[in-house]
Amino acid sequence: MELKNQNLLNVFKPSEVNSQSISGITLALLPAAFVARTIESALIFLLLALIYFILTTITIKGVQTYLPKKGNFLFATLSFVTVAVFVSLLSNVFFVTFASEYNHYVVLLSVSALPYMLEADNEDKGINQSMLNTLQSFIGFAIVMLLIAIFREVVGTGMITFGKFSDINYQIDLFSKYALTVFAEPLGSFVVLGFITALVKGKGEFA
């Protein structure tokens, strides 16, 4: 699949909506969508993802600058995995409870589509432009993640709860007796992600 200029998550300079860009956004969000069960878990994951994307951007610019282009993909893949393992270790240190439940999804950032799309788009850019593109893409990534988390937690539990993964203790019961609990289950991430993908595709068709 062609990855260059297929990044829909850069909300400031989104690519054209087509079958490849739709596939790209789905593959970029799929591992992360499972973490977005609650707003709290999504926020912690986004912090770790931000560290991951910044470090991989810096690493990949070094790979693209100093290593032969022919071997870039191999070195890039190894870099993505290495940085993901490092970020997962940070998660184990600072967010122990979160790590015990979701740390494997932090590692799976290395096989999502977004790092590879960023690598392709940043190939002909300097470090400053590359970092700007990465941060702009992260904003789009964060918006979608939070939308998934808000929908799954509010509709799936009827509550908003903090305190499981952090020191912030907060809980509000909105309509827990009438919650559609299916959205709090792993299946709910597929449903919400599918709905978002359909919206993006529909917007592209009517644009």
Side-chain angles (χ1 to χ4, degrees):
M1 183 177 73
E2 176 62 39
L3 296 174
K4 192 173 181 63
N5 298 323
Q6 301 297 327
N7 183 8
L8 286 171
L9 289 173
N10 186 336
V11 292
F12 298 93
K13 297 179 181 178
S15 67
E16 179 184 348
V17 177
N18 53 47
S19 59
Q20 288 188 329
S21 61
I22 290 291
S23 298
I25 192 175
T26 303
L27 293 173
L29 291 165
L30 188 57
F34 289 99
V35 186
R37 186 177 182 274
T38 67
I39 299 170
E40 183 182 32
S41 62
L43 288 172
I44 293 174
F45 183 82
L46 285 172
L47 174 61
L48 296 169
L50 177 60
I51 297 171
Y52 174 79
F53 291 131
I54 290 174
L55 291 179
T56 51
T57 299
I58 295 171
T59 303
I60 291 306
K61 289 314 297 179
V63 170
Q64 292 174 341
T65 302
Y66 298 108
L67 294 178
K69 189 173 182 179
K70 186 176 180 180
N72 274 2
F73 181 79
L74 175 61
F75 285 108
T77 302
L78 291 173
S79 298
F80 293 151
V81 174
T82 302
V83 175
V85 171
F86 172 73
V87 175
S88 74
L89 293 175
L90 292 180
S91 175
N92 273 310
V93 172
F94 294 103
F95 304 106
V96 178
T97 307
F98 174 89
S100 66
E101 190 168 342
Y102 293 120
N103 218 26
H104 50 292
Y105 291 110
V106 176
V107 178
L108 285 176
L109 279 169
S110 62
V111 296
S112 73
L114 186 54
Y116 295 92
M117 289 192 290
L118 290 173
E119 180 205 6
D121 289 341
N122 292 339
E123 185 176 9
D124 55 352
K125 295 181 174 68
I127 184 63
N128 292 336
Q129 288 182 315
S130 297
M131 193 62 69
L132 178 61
N133 181 46
T134 295
L135 294 176
Q136 289 175 336
S137 300
F138 173 77
I139 290 172
F141 181 81
I143 290 171
V144 178
M145 278 284 292
L146 289 173
L147 286 175
I148 295 173
I150 290 168
F151 189 88
R152 289 187 66 194
E153 181 168 21
V154 173
V155 178
T157 68
M159 304 175 66
I160 297 176
T161 304
F162 280 75
K164 183 177 181 180
F165 304 120
S166 68
D167 294 330
I168 302 172
N169 289 301
Y170 176 79
Q171 185 178 86
I172 179 171
D173 191 329
L174 300 171
F175 47 84
S176 58
K177 292 182 180 179
Y178 306 100
L180 301 177
T181 55
V182 65
F183 288 104
E185 301 300 323
L187 176 63
S189 60
F190 284 106
V191 175
V192 181
L193 183 56
F195 181 70
I196 291 173
T197 304
L199 284 178
V200 173
K201 185 176 181 181
K203 181 180 178 181
E205 291 177 349
F206 290 104

